[in-house]
Amino acid sequence: MFAVIRTGGKQYRVSPDDVIKIERLADVDAGNNIELTDVLAMGDGDSVTLGTPVVDGARVVASVLEHKRDTKIIVFKKKRRKNYRRTQGHRQNITILRIEEILAAGEKASPKKKAAAKPAADAGKATDDAPAKKAAAKKAPAKKAAAADKPAAKKAAAKKAPAKKATKDSDKE
């Protein structure tokens, strides 16, 4: 099944589960569903229904995935032999939609299926690698203690006294 819809001054041919980029829809939040009622044509297999200008009662249910800005378009103007060049960039605000259903006149939208949450029973179970994590935690403080046992004399020897600079009086002689 497919439909041709009109939104933002453009026409799109859509099918269920398609993801499309359209002009920004300001009044809809991300994650919500929206119904597009400007359906210009519908098709299912061999039958095609054309609207005059729209198909009566037909609508497309879509979910809003996100609002963002499209890729940059470079606008370059030039007049030859006049030393006139202007470069300008533009990013259009867009909305990303996923087409859920295409409904003819009189059809009702099916309820949105929610994914079943995994049970939280996994959090209470002890895993096989838990003893290994405890052993690793015990080894880490032992390494720090070994580093602290080094004599302070070695650390002091590592620091060298700064070399004395020649004074200006000795340079004059």
Side-chain angles (χ1 to χ4, degrees):
M1 175 168 249
F2 74 93
V4 178
I5 60 171
R6 177 177 58 202
T7 179
K10 299 176 182 70
Q11 297 177 4
Y12 301 90
R13 183 187 188 274
V14 296
S15 299
D17 296 327
D18 282 354
V19 176
I20 60 172
K21 296 189 301 185
I22 64 170
E23 295 286 325
R24 177 119 186 186
L25 298 174
D27 57 343
V28 181
D29 293 331
N32 292 343
N33 283 352
I34 185 171
E35 286 190 359
L36 304 169
T37 56
D38 285 346
V39 180
L40 303 176
M42 292 181 62
D44 189 15
D46 294 335
S47 64
V48 175
T49 306
L50 297 176
T52 55
V54 295
V55 179
D56 292 330
R59 59 196 190 282
V60 174
V61 178
S63 61
V64 178
L65 298 180
E66 65 178 323
H67 298 289
K68 66 178 197 173
R69 298 184 74 188
D70 205 2
T71 57
K72 182 175 272 194
I73 297 171
I74 303 298
V75 180
F76 183 71
K77 298 177 183 178
K78 179 182 179 178
K79 294 185 179 178
R80 61 185 195 154
R81 296 188 301 270
K82 304 295 183 202
N83 196 23
Y84 174 82
R85 290 182 295 274
R86 301 290 183 266
T87 303
Q88 184 179 7
H90 174 73
R91 293 183 70 186
Q92 187 69 30
N93 293 324
I94 61 170
T95 299
I96 309 292
L97 295 179
R98 173 179 282 124
I99 306 301
E100 301 292 336
E101 293 182 277
I102 299 172
L103 304 171
E107 291 183 8
K108 291 187 178 182
S110 62
K112 187 176 182 180
K113 297 179 184 177
K114 293 184 178 179
K118 292 184 179 179
D122 296 336
K125 293 182 181 177
T127 59
D128 294 336
D129 60 337
K133 288 181 182 178
K134 288 180 181 178
K138 288 181 181 178
K139 290 180 182 178
K143 290 179 182 178
K144 289 180 182 178
D149 292 339
K150 291 183 181 179
K154 289 184 179 178
K155 291 181 182 177
K159 293 183 180 178
K160 294 182 179 179
K164 292 184 179 180
K165 294 183 180 179
T167 61
K168 293 183 180 180
D169 296 332
S170 63
D171 292 340
K172 292 181 181 177
E173 293 175 4

